[in-house]
Amino acid sequence: AAKDPGNSFARYDASMSDRLNRWMGIRSQLQQAIHADEFTVYLQPKVEIQSGNVTSAEALIRWQNPTMGIVSPADFIPIAESTGDIMALGRWVLSEAARLVQDPGLPDQFAIAVNVSVKQFGDPRLIDLLADISRQLEGSQRKIELEITESALMLESIEVKRMLRDIERLGFGVALDDFGTGYSSLSYLTQLNADTVKLDKSFLDEIPVNTKHAAFVSSVIHMAKTLGLKLVAEGVERVDQLEWLALNQCDAVQGYLFSRPLSFPDLLTWLEGRPKV
Ligand code: C2E
Ligand code: CA
Ligand code: CA
Ligand code: CA
């Protein structure tokens, strides 16, 4: 049967139409999903290497749909970006993160980092929401940070420039996400006025044996230090990676080695089990 070209074509065709169906399913379900309360914010702790302190976590959205089951953000975020649903969804994540970060169960100093798509910079309601969150957090030691992924032409846009200035004025920390992939360059770091650089998992996977990656990562760490930026390594799964990063003075790590993304109650329990800051 494997040699029958007609048969293998049929299989190919079926997987194509499966993917198309899923894509259309996601697209049609997205809008109502917010109102139907199908999204949840999970949180993945970031661990400071030297002290072992955990003073922040990244918000990662999860979608459980009654017909489609669990849908990965890697699948639905790009679709939400293309349909424009990312604007409402992004506002929901920000509001939810702002609510969670004020929970009395968290340590006094705590930050939640929220992924913000550059597409959201076109949302006329974004700045009012950010201003509202900034008022809510005034006088507390709880913070919201924004993780922004670099993209082509981003800094050419006047709209984006104005938004970045407003974000800075309102006091939100900014992290440049997925550093090393796409359009990253030194100039982005300085122009963005970022506080943090998040080094992409793909450069860390083969650390320490991949000497090219090791050289790249250590030079990014050095550069971040020179620019006064905090460096967070993403997707750290093994002790040998952690040891190398500690030796090379990376500030913080995030990854399955310490914890997967957790529901909010699970995060509180996880934090309970760690030494107090
Ligand atoms: P990201 O911002 O690069 O987030 C890190 C991803 O790596 C997350 O995948 C996280 O669960 C995963 N991860 C963390 N540690 C490890 C590890 O040690 N090993 C492995 N294999 N993976 C690890 P997730 O949650 O599936 O999110 C995928 C992407 O979807 C995110 O990549 C981000 O770009 C996007 N995303 C997630 N939530 C949001 C959101 O609320 N808004 C926007 N705009 N994008 C989001
Ligand atoms: Ca991120
Ligand atoms: Ca990232
Ligand atoms: Ca990444």
Side-chain angles (χ1 to χ4, degrees), residues 13-80:
D13 205 30
S15 85
M16 284 288 286
S17 83
D18 282 354
R19 272 162 51 201
L20 186 62
N21 280 336
R22 187 155 174 89
W23 190 89
M24 292 195 302
I26 290 172
R27 210 190 133 131
S28 71
Q29 295 287 314
L30 261 174
Q31 265 180 19
Q32 58 81 36
I34 294 183
H35 307 290
D37 213 16
E38 291 172 12
F39 294 106
T40 318
V41 165
Y42 269 50
L43 295 147
Q44 188 179 36
K46 301 182 193 179
V47 180
E48 289 171 19
I49 296 181
Q50 291 308 325
S51 62
N53 288 346
V54 177
T55 55
S56 68
E58 177 178 5
L60 293 157
I61 194 167
R62 295 291 177 259
W63 183 12
Q64 168 94 56
N65 180 269
T67 52
M68 293 186 295
I70 292 169
V71 189
S72 159
D75 291 334
F76 71 80
I77 294 288
I79 297 174

Side-chain angles (χ1 to χ4, degrees), residues 204-218:
L204 298 155
D205 287 343
E206 293 163 27
I207 291 276
V209 292
N210 185 325
T211 51
K212 282 183 182 153
H213 286 182
F216 176 74
V217 174
S218 74

Side-chain angles (χ1 to χ4, degrees), residues 84 86-92 94 117-129 159 163:
I86 192 68
M87 300 201 190
L89 190 56
R91 289 196 304 269
W92 180 82
L94 274 166
S117 162
V118 174
K119 291 266 157 54
Q120 289 177 253
F121 284 10
D123 179 359
R125 292 170 61 184
L126 181 65
I127 204 67
D128 284 347
L129 175 60
E159 197 176 53
M163 191 62 85

Side-chain angles (χ1 to χ4, degrees), residues 178 200-201 234:
D178 297 335
D200 194 68
K201 176 178 184 299
E234 282 188 342

